[in-house]
DNA sequence: CTAGTATTTGCATACGTATGCAACGCGCGC
DNA sequence: GCGCGCGTTGCATACGTATGCAAATACTAG
C-alpha cells in the first residue's frame, strides 16, 4: 500500500534522517554509497515513492508541461502530441493536457497556472493570443507550436514552426513547373498564422512564375467545410481550376474525395491536388498526396530545447522564433513537370530535417 | 507576476485571515458574502491563484487523472482522448499523459504514482496487465478503457469497453446474409482482449450461419502489417476470399487500399470489407467503410462515471466491467443482402448510444 | 430584552519534502 | 602530531494550503 508511506518512514527503517532519504532520491546530492544502498532497500521494502506535489511545493518546479490543443481529428496533432510526450518523458517531465473550449479561454489560463507548470506548449493553429500573453506575464515560459504571435505583441513568447512560407512557395513552383495555369487555393483558418504564411508564400511563388491565384475558397481547417469549398469552387466546368493547393493535408483528403467521387474528376489527370503537413495518411494508397512536410521530430526537438533552456537558466530569456525547414514530398496527386525541366521526383526519403535558424 | 503571491498576501490585502481566503476558494465552505467579495477583489488585484500542489498535499486529491496510451496513429485513441479530457475538465479534473514505452513498464508505474493521481485510465489495447495491477494495489482506482484483464487476475481493476463480441457477431451475420461464403478475418494484436472478443463473436456468428473462417491473417493493429497480411491472403486468385472482416478500421483502410490499388480488386463487387471502431475516416468518401461503431461518448461517460464514483466514496469498491452497446454502421464497402432478406440499410444516424450494463 | 442557536472567523497545526547550516568524521600533507 | 579541507549527516525550517477547534458574531424565538 503505497499512499501513506513517507520519506520519514523510510528514514526510520533505514536508521537515517529524513534528509538523508531526500538526498538519496535527488541526483547530485552527497550521500555515501552505503547509506544510499540502505535507504533504497528500505524504500523498496515499503514501496515508497517521493510525493511529486510536496517536492514541487519546495523546489518550485513541477516537472509538468502544460499542453493546450483544440482539435485532434487532424492527425498532425496527435502525432506531435505523442512525440512531445515521449520526448519529455525521457527527461522526467510529463504532459498535462488542456483542451481549448472556445468561450472560456480565461478559465483555461486560471487552470493552467494553478498547476504551476514549468512551461506551456500551445499547439493549436487557431488560439487567442491573449492566452499566451497571460501565461508569459505570469512568468511561465510559453512556446507556440506551429503558430506565431501577431507581429505587434512580442512579449516573452517563443515559437516553433516549419517553413510555412517556403513551403507555400515550393508548392507554387512545383505546380507552375508542371504547366498548370489555373491554380486555386483553399485556405485554412484565415486568421491563423499558418494559413497567412502558407498563402503568402504560395502567392509569391505563383507571382515568380507570372501567375496569380485563379480561385480561392476557405476550408477553415475543417474536413467538411473544405469539402463544401471544393464543391463550390469546381461547380462550373468552364473556368474550373486545373490545380489546387489545400492548406492542410487533412482538408486535402476531403477535397480529393469530393473531386473524385462527387464530381467525377480524375486526379492528377484533370486536376492536381497538393497539401501541407505530410500526415501519415498522405502516404496511404487512396491519396498518395503530394505535400510539404512539417518535420515533427525536429520541431518537437526544438520545442523541448527551448523549454529546457528556460528551465536551466532562471528567468525567461528573450523570445526566439525557430523555423524548422521542411521538404517537398512528391507523390501522385499532382501532375509533374516533364522530365528535365523541374526538380526531380524524390523517390524515397527526403533530405534530412535540420535544426532551424531564428527569425 | 503570479508566482510568489500566496493566500497570505491576499489575506493581508483583504484584512482577513489566511483561512478565510482558503475558504473563499473552496466551494461549500462557510464565508459571508461580504468577506468573499473583499477576498475575491484582493485576489484579482494581485493575480492570485491557489497552488494546486499545496492544495493536493493537504487534501490528498490532485484532481489529476493519469492516462496511459501507446499508439496515437489510430484515430480512435485521439478522439477518445479529446473526449476524455473535455469531460474531465468540466469537473475541474485534468489529464496527465503517459506514453507507454514498451521495455520499462515498471518505471511508468513509478512515475504515475509519484504524481498521486486520483485515478488512472489505461487506454491501450495492448498493455501489460501488471501495470494495472500494481496501480490498483497502490490504492488508486484504475479503469481499463477498451480492454479487460485476463479472466484470472480480477483485482480492483474496472473496465469499460464496447460490445466487441456482439459486434463481431453482427458483422458475421451481415456478411453471411449478403451471401458471402468465403469469409476471411484479419486479426489485430492476437493477445489483446479486443481482438479475442471480436474474433470469438465473429466465429460464433459465422457458425450460426453454418460457416467457418475461410482464411486468417494477422495485422497486429498496425497499418503496414495489415497491408501485408491482406496481400498475402489474396495472393492466389483460386481460393480468394469474397469478404474480409478486419479487426479495426485503421487496418481496414490499409486492406482496402491494398486490395483495390495493388491487386486491382473492386470493393464491394469482388470483395466486401468490414471494420471495427467507426473512426471518423470510415465515413470518408474513399472508404465508406461498413463497420461496427464503438460509441466514444458513452464509453467516456461510463469511464468518468466509474472514476467519480470512486472519488466520491472513499476506498475502492468492487471492480465493475461495463459493456457499452455499439451499433452496426452500414456504408458501401460491403455487399448487402438482397432487399427484404436481412437487416435494412441504415441511411443516416444509427440508434442513439445508450449507457451500458455490467458483465 | 434575553437566551439560545446558527453562522462566520481566526488560530494553530499538518501535509511531505528540500535545503542552509553546523557538526562530525576522515584522510592528507606538513 | 596537528591543522586543514572535504565529504556526510542531522537539525530545523520553509513551501502554500486546508481544516478542527474555539471564540466571536449575527440572528431567531420567546
Amino acid at each position: 500500500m503505497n499512499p501513506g508511506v513517507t520519506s520519514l518512514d523510510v528514514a526510520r527503517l533505514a536508521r537515517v534522517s529524513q534528509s538523508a532519504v531526500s538526498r538519496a532520491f535527488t541526483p547530485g546530492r552527497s550521500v555515501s554509497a552505503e547509506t544510499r544502498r540502505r535507504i533504497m532497500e528500505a524504500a523498496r521494502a515499503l514501496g515508497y515513492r517521493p510525493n511529486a506535489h510536496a517536492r514541487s511545493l519546495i523546489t518550485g518546479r513541477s516537472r509538468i508541461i502544460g499542453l493546450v490543443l483544440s482539435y485532434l481529428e487532424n492527425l498532425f496533432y496527435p502525432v506531435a502530441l505523442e512525440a512531445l510526450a515521449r520526448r519529455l518523458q525521457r527527461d522526467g517531465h510529463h504532459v498535462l493536457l488542456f483542451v481549448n473550449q472556445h468561450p472560456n479561454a480565461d478559465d483555461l489560463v486560471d487552470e493552467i497556472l494553478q498547476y504551476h507548470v514549468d512551461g506551456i506548449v500551445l499547439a493549436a493553429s487557431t488560439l487567442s493570443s491573449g492566452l499566451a500573453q497571460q501565461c508569459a506575464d505570469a512568468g511561465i515560459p510559453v512556446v507556440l507550436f506551429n503558430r506565431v504571435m501577431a507581429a505587434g505583441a512580442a512579449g516573452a513568447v517563443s515559437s516553433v514552426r516549419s517553413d510555412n512560407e517556403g513551403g507555400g512557395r515550393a508548392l507554387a513552383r512545383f505546380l507552375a513547373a508542371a504547366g498548370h495555369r489555373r491554380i486555386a487555393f483553399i485556405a485554412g483558418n484565415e486568421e491563423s498564422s499558418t494559413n497567412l504564411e502558407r498563402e503568402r508564400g504560395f502567392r509569391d511563388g505563383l507571382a515568380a512564375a507570372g501567375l496569380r491565384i485563379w480561385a480561392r475558397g476557405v476550408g477553415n481547417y475543417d474536413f467538411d467545410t473544405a469539402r463544401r469549398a471544393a464543391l463550390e469552387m469546381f461547380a462550373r466546368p468552364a473556368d474550373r481550376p486545373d490545380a489546387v493547393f489545400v492548406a492542410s493535408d487533412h482538408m486535402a483528403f476531403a477535397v480529393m474525395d469530393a473531386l473524385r467521387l462527387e464530381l467525377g474528376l480524375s486526379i492528377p489527370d484533370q486536376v492536381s491536388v497538393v497539401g501541407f503537413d505530410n500526415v501519415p495518411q498522405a502516404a496511404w494508397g487512396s491519396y498518395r498526396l503530394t505535400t510539404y512536410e512539417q518535420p515533427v521530430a525536429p520541431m518537437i526537438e526544438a520545442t523541448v530545447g527551448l523549454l529546457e533552456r528556460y528551465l536551466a537558466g532562471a528567468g525567461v530569456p528573450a523570445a526566439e522564433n525557430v523555423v524548422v525547414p521542411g521538404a517537398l514530398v512528391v507523390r501522385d496527386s499532382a501532375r509533374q513537370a516533364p522530365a528535365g525541366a523541374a526538380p526531380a521526383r524524390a523517390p524515397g526519403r527526403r533530405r534530412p530535417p535540420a535544426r532551424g535558424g531564428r527569425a
Side-chain angles (χ1 to χ4, degrees), chain A:
Chain A
M1 208 55 69
N2 162 54
V5 28
T6 136
S7 61
L8 206 62
D9 300 327
V10 177
R12 272 192 286 260
L13 181 58
R15 309 202 150 279
V16 294
S17 73
Q18 180 267 330
S19 343
V21 178
S22 167
R23 283 191 260 260
F25 276 87
T26 311
R29 290 291 165 189
S30 96
V31 202
S32 75
E34 165 59 11
T35 310
R36 148 168 281 124
R37 200 192 51 72
R38 284 226 313 282
I39 291 178
M40 288 310 185
E41 189 178 308
R44 193 142 14 83
L46 298 177
Y48 166 78
R49 348 235 173 197
N51 182 323
H53 298 114
R55 180 174 274 199
S56 62
L57 188 54
I58 288 273
T59 60
R61 337 226 71 147
S62 57
R63 307 194 75 72
I64 293 181
I65 301 293
L67 173 63
V68 181
L69 27 79
S70 55
Y71 182 59
L72 283 175
E73 206 166 305
N74 178 348
L75 252 193
F76 177 72
Y77 290 103
V79 167
L81 164 59
E82 182 177 338
L84 178 67
R86 286 211 140 92
R87 178 60 178 74
L88 287 175
Q89 239 164 278
R90 261 182 35 198
D91 306 337
H93 288 87
H94 288 279
V95 171
L96 191 62
L97 198 64
F98 297 85
V99 177
N100 186 33
Q101 328 254 32
H102 244 120
N104 42 2
D106 288 342
D107 298 1
L108 200 60
V109 175
D110 265 31
E111 293 177 11
I112 296 180
L113 295 184
Q114 288 192 8
Y115 284 103
H116 281 225
V117 294
D118 289 347
I120 299 180
V121 177
L122 295 182
S125 55
T126 150
L127 208 57
S128 102
S129 307
L131 201 153
Q133 197 57 60
Q134 282 184 63
C135 294
D137 290 347
I140 301 182
V142 174
V143 178
L144 301 178
F145 183 87
N146 196 28
R147 183 176 195 289
V148 283
M149 297 260 294
V157 179
S158 292
S159 67
V160 172
R161 63 198 199 276
S162 74
D163 186 4
N164 290 305
E165 200 167 327
R169 210 175 301 121
L171 290 166
R173 237 186 342 246
F174 180 83
L175 291 178
H180 293 293
R181 286 301 170 262
R182 300 199 304 271
I183 303 180
F185 175 64
I186 293 183
N189 180 313
E190 293 197 87
E191 295 151 32
S192 68
S193 69
T194 48
N195 187 78
L196 289 172
E197 294 178 347
R198 289 169 198 178
E199 182 164 2
R200 188 186 320 137
F202 191 63
R203 284 182 190 279
D204 279 6
L206 290 187
L211 296 173
R212 299 177 50 201
I213 286 181
W214 177 263
R216 185 173 183 281
V218 177
N220 208 30
Y221 287 137
D222 174 74
F223 190 85
D224 210 56
T225 310
R227 171 181 158 274
R228 285 197 304 271
L231 290 179
E232 189 182 347
M233 176 178 281
F234 285 80
R236 294 189 311 281
D239 57 352
R240 184 180 276 163
D242 61 358
V244 54
F245 165 37
V246 190
S248 78
D249 286 358
H250 184 65
M251 293 191 298
F253 303 135
V255 171
M256 289 182 73
D257 282 354
L259 297 186
R260 278 205 284 227
L261 306 167
E262 302 195 60
L263 298 181
L265 296 173
S266 159
I267 297 173
D269 300 330
Q270 297 179 270
V271 54
S272 288
V273 178
V274 298
F276 206 107
D277 282 346
N278 196 30
V279 294
Q281 299 147 351
W284 289 8
S286 293
Y287 299 106
R288 306 260 334 126
L289 181 63
T290 289
T291 187
Y292 190 83
E293 174 186 37
Q294 298 212 71
V296 171
M299 288 174 73
I300 291 297
E301 199 57 45
T303 304
V304 175
L306 280 175
L307 287 175
E308 295 193 334
R309 209 129 39 83
Y310 291 159
L311 298 190
V316 178
E320 282 183 37
N321 296 301
V322 178
V323 175
V324 177
L328 195 64
V329 179
V330 178
R331 297 201 182 89
D332 308 326
S333 67
R335 197 206 303 164
Q336 287 179 56
R345 159 87 183 265
R349 259 330 261 179
R350 302 146 309 279
R351 61 176 148 120
R355 174 63 187 283
R358 323 233 169 110

